Amino acid sequence: MALSGTVLKTSSIFRRRLFQPHITGPVSLHVRTVYERDYRRPGQAPDTRWPWQKIRFDFSKGVDGVKKHFGLLKAEFMERWTGPEGRPLVVHMLEQTRVLWEFRGPESLNQWVVTSDREIGGRSEAYVKLGRNNSTCMLYGSLCSAPPRDGETRYSGYCTMRSKQPRASFDRKKHFDWSSFNTLYLRIRGDGRPWMVNVSAETYFSHQRDDMYSYFLYTRGGPYWQDVKIPFSKFFLSSRGRVQDDQHPLWLDKVNTIGFTLGDKADGPFQLEIDFIAVCNDRAHTEEFAYELYKRNPEV
Amino acid sequence: MAMRPFSLQKRCHFIMKASRFLLQIHHTGCISSTVIPGVNRLDTQLCYGHVPRWLHCSSAFCKSKSDSTDLQEIIEHEIEKKTKSLVTHDELFERAARDAKSKANFNRVLDTFNKKDIRRRGHVEFIYAALKKMPEFGVERDITVYNKLLDVFPKEVFVPRNFIQRMFNHYPRQQECGVQVLEQMENYGIMPNMETKVLLVQIFGEKSHPMRKYQRIMYWFPKFKNLNPFPVPHELPQDPVDLSRFSLTRIANDLDAKITVYQLPSTHITEAGEEISHPHIVGIQSPEQRTLLAKHNPSRPVFVEGPFPLWLRKTCVHYYLLRADPIPPEEQIEEELEPELIGPEQSLFYPQCIDLDLKRDLGDDDSFDVDDVVEGAVYAMCMTGQGDQATLAQWISGLQENNPILGQVPTVFRLDSGFRELQKVEDIHHDSEQNQHSGAEEEHIIEEEVLHSQGMKR
C-alpha cells in the first residue's frame, strides 16, 4: 500500500514537472505554415507570433491597396482590347525577341531584390544602383566568404540579385511565358568574375519550391559591353545548391523569377553592370536539352 | 596504366582474406591477449617473425612497417594516448607545421597517424582535422594528397556484406566523412582519378554514398570543365609585365590591338641615397581606337579614368582608361560612305556595298527594342604598378608618339580611390599621402585638374 502510494506520488511529481511549463508559461505554439520561406538561422528564436499579429491593419495601407489592385484589375481588362498581354496581335505573333527588363530609370530597380549572405550571418555586402548615365543597372558590393561562426553553417559568401515574382491584381501570381523563345540574351559588363544565372519556374508540388535552373555567366571584364546568349536548353536543375541527379528541361511557360548569383570565393569588391535582359528565338539552336535524360548506367 | 590499380585491388583482396584467417587463429590461440595493453600486444606479434597484414592496413602502408624507429614512435604515441583530449589531431598538424608547412610535412603527419594505431582509431576525426588543415599546408589542390587521405580509412570494414546492411546506412559517420573528402575536392575543382575510385570501392563498397558522390563528380565535372570562354590559368604569370599583358589582351578583345610596354619596372638609387622605383606601364591600343582618337574634337577634353578592377580567378588587377565623354547629338557628324563604294566604278556583279533589306520574312526581326546606352569611346587602356598621376601622365606622353592629336587635346585625370583595400602596399602608402592633401573622402573623385597638355606632359 505504502509502496503504491509512493509510486503514485512520484508519478504525480513527474506529471507536474512535465506539464508545468505548459500550464504556467505562455502558450508557445510554433506556427510554421507550408508557405513559410524564411531561413531561420541556427540559434535564432522561432517566431512565435500569431499569424494575425504579423499583419499590419492600417487604414492608409488599405486605401493604397484598393487603389493599386483595382488599378491593376482595370488595366487587365483594358489590355485585352489591344491584344494579348496588351500588345497588338501582329506584334504578338511575329515577335522573335522580347526585352524583359531594361534599366532606364530609378523605378526599374524596384522589380529586383538584392540579397547577400548577411541573412545567414555572413559578411558580404551587395547593393544596386543605376549606372553613370542612369540607363544601366549597377550591381556592386563586396564578397566575403568567411562562414558565420554559428557552428552549423559551413559555407558562405554569396551575393544575389533576383527579380520579384510578377503579380496580377489582388496578389494573384503571374508568370512569364517564354515558350516561344529558346535563348536568354543579356548585355552585361562585368569585372571578370563568373556569375550564375538562375531561373526558377512554377512547380506543381510545394516541396519543389527550391528548384532552380542554373547556368554560368562568364564575364570578360574591361570597359566594353558583352552580349551573352544562353540557350535555355543548357540550364540544369538544382535544388538547394545541389545539382540534381535526374535532370529535366526547363519549362518556359511558367517562369517565376530570374536571378544572378555570385559565389566564386574570391574575397573582394565586385561589380556587374546590366544593360538589358531579353529573350530571343535563335533559329539556329535546335537542342532541346543538353544533359542526358535516359537512364544511365551506373545510375547516379 | 589503367590495369595496375585493378590488379592491386585484387591482390589486396587476396591478402586480406588470408589475414582475416590469421586473425581468427590468433584469437582462438590466446583470448587473454585482449587484456594486454597495446604495446605488449604489438611485441607479441613481432615475435611471429613477420608482421601479418592486418585488416585495417592498405597494401601501400604494409611495406614500410617493420622499422625499429617506427616502433619507437608507436610506443611513444601509445604513451601519449593516455592523456586523452579532443584536440590531439589538430596538435599533430601544428607540431608538423612548426618547421615548414609543406606537402612533405602533411604526408608525414598522415604516415604518423597510420603507424600510430593499427586499428586507425579515431580516423574520422583525424580526416576532418586534416581536411581543415589542407589549405594551410597548400595541398588543397593536390589529388595525390586526397588519395592518401582516403587511404587512412581502414579497408573492407565498412563494405556492407549482406542485404540488410546494404539497405540501411552502413557506418554512416564514416560514409559522411568520405563524402566530405570528396566534397572538398569538388569545391577546389579537382577531378578524382582511378586511384580514388579504387580506394572508395575498397573502403565503402560499390554502391555507397561516397561512391555515388564520386560518380556524380565524374558526370558533371567533364561537362563544366571547359565552359569558360575566357579561361584563366591556375598559375598566373609572376612577372607584373606579363600579367598586365595577359589581362589587357583579355579585356581588349581585339586581335589587332597592339601592346606597348612604355616602362619596365626598375629601381635605382640617386646620389642622395634615395631609392627611386619606376613602376611598369603597359598599354594597349588597337588601330580602330587610333583612328577614333584622330577624329576626336580637340576642343573637348579626354579623360584618364580608373582604377577599374579586373578579377583573374582570385587575384584582382586594376586598369586605367583613356576615354572621351559621349559626343552630344548636335556635334555628331553623319559618316559618309566612301565614294568608291557607291560610285559608278563599282562592279555590278560584285558590289562592295549593297543597300538592300535582306529580311527573310515578315517577322524575322532579330533586333532588340532597346535604347542604346550612350557612352564615350575608349581610346586606350593601360595597367601600371602605381596609379598616380605622374605615372599616368608618362603613359599619355608615350601614347602621344603614335597619336599626335593628344598634344592638342586637354587631358583630365579622374582617378578615384575606391578600391584602396586591394592595392599593394606602396599604393596604399601613396593613397594616404594623397588623402592628406584632399581630405579623407572616399568614393569621390579626388583629383580633377585640367592640365593643358603641353604643361604636364613634357
Side-chain angles (χ1 to χ4, degrees):
Chain A
M1 191 59 203
L3 194 77
S4 68
T6 52
V7 167
L8 270 176
K9 230 177 237 169
T10 50
S11 70
S12 66
I13 285 165
F14 266 125
R15 198 173 295 147
R16 203 184 301 149
R17 267 187 199 154
L18 276 174
F19 286 100
Q20 217 166 18
H22 283 265
I23 295 159
T24 56
V27 183
S28 65
L29 263 176
H30 186 209
V31 186
R32 188 179 173 84
T33 55
V34 186
Y35 293 102
E36 189 180 4
R37 281 167 182 243
D38 290 344
Y39 169 76
R40 193 158 68 85
R41 285 181 58 190
Q44 194 185 7
D47 190 5
T48 51
R49 289 179 299 166
W50 290 101
W52 58 84
Q53 285 172 327
K54 295 173 190 170
I55 303 171
R56 194 161 58 87
F57 294 100
D58 200 351
F59 185 72
S60 61
K61 186 196 161 200
V63 171
D64 286 345
V66 167
K67 265 188 198 169
K68 181 187 156 198
H69 290 301
F70 279 95
L72 281 173
L73 192 67
K74 190 188 162 197
E76 266 169 52
F77 272 110
M78 297 310 283
E79 75 180 13
R80 298 287 168 92
W81 291 104
T82 43
E85 294 174 36
R87 284 168 305 158
L89 194 65
V90 181
V91 175
H92 180 80
M93 285 175 72
L94 296 180
E95 68 174 349
Q96 300 288 328
T97 60
R98 188 191 293 174
V99 177
L100 302 163
W101 289 279
E102 49 176 335
F103 299 91
R104 301 284 184 269
E107 67 278 354
S108 58
L109 296 181
N110 296 340
Q111 299 166 14
W112 294 85
V113 183
V114 177
T115 48
S116 68
D117 59 10
R118 273 285 161 88
E119 58 181 340
I120 63 161
R123 292 201 295 259
S124 304
E125 294 165 23
Y127 310 99
V128 71
K129 67 173 183 190
L130 283 175
R132 194 182 261 181
N133 42 8
N134 276 5
S135 59
T136 51
C137 157
M138 174 79 107
L139 179 61
Y140 67 102
S142 77
L143 193 78
C144 176
S145 57
R149 299 170 66 88
D150 55 14
E152 279 183 37
T153 317
R154 287 185 297 150
Y155 308 117
S156 175
Y158 66 84
C159 293
T160 302
M161 185 169 89
R162 193 175 191 182
S163 71
K164 283 181 188 163
Q165 160 100 45
R167 301 258 176 202
S169 58
F170 304 109
D171 276 342
R172 285 174 296 134
K173 267 189 184 177
K174 221 164 66 174
H175 311 283
F176 298 108
D177 184 4
W178 300 343
S179 44
S180 54
F181 307 101
N182 63 3
T183 306
L184 184 72
Y185 192 97
L186 308 158
R187 184 171 290 162
I188 53 162
R189 177 159 64 180
D191 58 352
R193 291 195 187 225
W195 287 71
M196 187 158 249
V197 185
N198 301 312
V199 175
S200 77
E202 183 67 25
T203 51
Y204 189 79
F205 297 108
S206 67
H207 76 264
Q208 297 169 325
R209 65 164 180 263
D210 294 316
D211 284 10
M212 273 203 300
Y213 291 85
S214 322
Y215 200 67
F216 311 101
L217 171 68
Y218 295 101
T219 57
R220 179 186 278 280
Y224 301 121
W225 287 103
Q226 183 189 345
D227 289 339
V228 185
K229 276 169 98 171
I230 307 175
F232 285 120
S233 65
K234 302 245 182 214
F235 280 77
F236 55 86
L237 174 64
S238 65
S239 181
R240 300 194 163 218
R242 303 273 174 190
V243 185
Q244 296 300 297
D245 285 345
D246 51 343
Q247 292 286 324
H248 298 282
L250 168 62
W251 287 354
L252 288 165
D253 53 343
K254 281 185 174 181
V255 172
N256 284 339
T257 60
I258 186 169
F260 301 92
T261 307
L262 175 76
D264 65 345
K265 300 260 174 205
D267 295 357
F270 67 88
Q271 63 185 47
L272 178 74
E273 217 172 333
I274 305 174
D275 182 4
F276 67 88
I277 300 166
V279 281
C280 67
N281 186 18
D282 185 358
R283 287 176 293 272
H285 186 81
T286 52
E287 189 182 52
E288 282 180 5
F289 196 51
Y291 311 101
E292 282 89 335
L293 291 173
Y294 53 82
K295 204 171 180 186
R296 291 181 299 279
N297 190 20
E299 194 183 343
V300 177
Chain B
M1 191 58 208
M3 269 311 285
R4 221 178 115 244
F6 274 118
S7 62
L8 186 109
Q9 182 195 10
K10 231 176 188 176
R11 198 175 62 222
C12 281
H13 199 71
F14 178 68
I15 295 172
M16 278 183 188
K17 271 192 179 158
S19 69
R20 195 181 301 146
F21 196 55
L22 256 179
L23 185 76
Q24 279 166 359
I25 292 169
H26 185 68
H27 266 280
T28 46
C30 46
I31 302 163
S32 62
S33 74
T34 46
V35 217
I36 302 166
V39 185
N40 293 343
R41 204 161 66 229
L42 272 177
D43 282 343
T44 51
Q45 280 159 18
L46 287 170
C47 289
Y48 277 55
H50 81 109
V51 188
R53 197 174 169 296
W54 284 74
L55 262 184
H56 309 268
C57 317
S58 79
S59 54
F61 164 54
C62 186
K63 283 167 203 160
S64 59
K65 214 177 109 183
S66 54
D67 214 356
S68 61
T69 52
D70 286 350
L71 192 71
Q72 200 66 39
E73 251 182 20
I74 292 167
I75 293 165
E76 275 176 26
H77 283 298
E78 285 294 321
I79 294 160
E80 259 179 53
K81 264 180 88 177
K82 295 281 190 330
T83 56
K84 270 191 177 173
S85 73
L86 283 171
V87 287
T88 42
H89 302 311
D90 273 352
E91 264 175 22
L92 262 180
F93 285 102
E94 263 141 38
R95 237 180 299 151
R98 232 177 279 155
D99 14 308
K101 289 182 178 179
S102 66
K103 186 184 168 186
N105 270 340
F106 194 85
N107 282 342
R108 226 187 50 222
V109 175
L110 297 190
D111 285 334
T112 319
F113 180 82
N114 285 352
K115 280 164 201 159
K116 187 168 81 176
D117 184 6
I118 211 153
R119 289 187 172 73
R120 308 272 169 94
R121 212 156 264 159
H123 63 271
V124 172
E125 288 81 6
F126 175 76
I127 288 170
Y128 278 130
L131 281 180
K132 213 175 257 177
K133 291 276 170 187
M134 276 178 104
E136 252 177 58
F137 281 77
V139 290
E140 76 275 13
R141 295 195 48 81
D142 199 331
I143 177 69
T144 51
V145 175
Y146 281 103
N147 284 342
K148 208 168 162 60
L149 196 58
L150 278 177
D151 204 16
V152 171
F153 278 111
K155 309 290 171 308
E156 286 228 328
V157 186
F158 310 137
V159 182
R161 292 189 203 170
N162 51 42
F163 73 96
I164 295 174
Q165 290 179 348
R166 212 163 283 134
M167 207 157 54
F168 292 101
N169 203 356
H170 199 46
Y171 282 99
R173 283 197 61 205
Q174 281 79 359
Q175 289 206 34
E176 240 169 57
C177 185
V179 170
Q180 217 35 245
V181 174
L182 286 165
E183 195 171 307
Q184 186 157 338
M185 288 171 81
E186 188 191 347
N187 283 344
Y188 285 105
I190 302 174
M191 185 115 110
N193 57 8
M194 199 39 121
E195 202 186 334
T196 320
K197 185 181 183 179
V198 171
L199 276 166
L200 287 175
V201 170
Q202 276 183 338
I203 299 163
F204 296 111
E206 283 283 356
K207 294 205 165 182
S208 54
H209 291 297
M211 199 57 204
R212 294 289 195 212
K213 180 85 188 168
Y214 166 84
Q215 285 167 337
R216 279 173 196 136
I217 292 175
M218 295 305 274
Y219 178 72
W220 288 106
F221 261 36
K223 283 192 193 302
F224 295 154
K225 205 163 68 176
N226 298 317
L227 272 188
N228 195 346
F230 323 112
V232 184
H234 274 290
E235 296 287 324
L236 285 171
Q238 291 294 319
D239 184 28
V241 177
D242 283 344
L243 185 64
S244 330
R245 196 172 280 154
F246 172 75
S247 9
L248 283 175
T249 42
R250 178 185 160 111
I251 61 178
N253 189 18
D254 191 350
L255 293 177
D256 294 332
K258 220 181 85 193
I259 282 187
T260 323
V261 181
Y262 294 101
Q263 188 175 296
L264 284 167
S266 61
T267 42
H268 74 263
I269 297 165
T270 56
E271 294 95 12
E274 286 175 35
E275 199 173 297
I276 295 176
S277 62
H278 296 290
H280 65 280
I281 306 173
V282 184
I284 191 165
Q285 198 181 27
S286 66
E288 276 177 46
Q289 285 172 333
R290 205 172 296 153
T291 50
L292 267 178
L293 183 54
K295 283 180 196 162
H296 183 80
N297 183 1
S299 62
R300 297 196 158 269
V302 289
F303 300 97
V304 176
E305 290 181 1
F308 298 108
L310 170 72
W311 283 89
L312 306 164
R313 280 186 202 276
K314 307 235 164 158
T315 50
C316 184
V317 291
H318 292 100
Y319 62 93
Y320 296 85
L321 297 179
L322 177 71
R323 75 183 314 165
D325 266 347
I327 308 166
E330 64 269 11
E331 275 185 36
Q332 269 172 3
I333 315 152
E334 283 295 313
E335 285 283 315
E336 282 177 21
L337 283 171
E338 287 175 42
E340 282 178 23
L341 291 180
I342 22 175
E345 57 266 22
Q346 273 286 318
S347 162
L348 190 62
F349 299 104
Y350 302 103
Q352 286 185 31
C353 174
I354 313 171
D355 193 20
L356 279 178
D357 202 6
L358 283 176
K359 275 185 190 170
R360 272 165 296 182
D361 202 352
L362 198 61
D364 291 352
D365 181 15
D366 284 338
S367 62
F368 291 93
D369 180 25
V370 279
D371 313 329
D372 284 335
V373 177
V374 187
E375 278 186 344
V378 176
Y379 293 138
M381 289 183 271
C382 101
M383 283 177 73
T384 171
Q386 197 176 317
D388 60 333
Q389 200 175 322
T391 321
L392 291 169
Q394 234 171 332
W395 169 51
I396 299 294
S397 59
L399 268 177
Q400 212 173 331
E401 287 175 16
N402 283 328
N403 306 280
I405 194 172
L406 278 176
Q408 304 151 26
V409 182
T411 313
V412 181
F413 286 84
R414 290 202 289 209
L415 311 175
D416 58 1
S417 59
F419 301 102
R420 193 170 328 135
E421 64 269 20
L422 270 159
Q423 287 170 6
K424 285 180 198 160
V425 181
E426 62 260 26
D427 287 359
I428 292 165
H429 182 63
H430 184 81
D431 272 355
S432 63
E433 279 178 10
Q434 281 183 341
N435 270 9
Q436 282 167 6
H437 294 298
S438 64
E441 271 186 332
E442 278 192 22
E443 299 269 348
H444 269 254
I445 296 163
I446 55 163
E447 276 178 63
E448 187 156 343
E449 286 175 51
V450 179
L451 306 163
H452 280 281
S453 48
Q454 304 300 332
M456 185 63 207
K457 275 175 225 158
R458 293 295 150 84

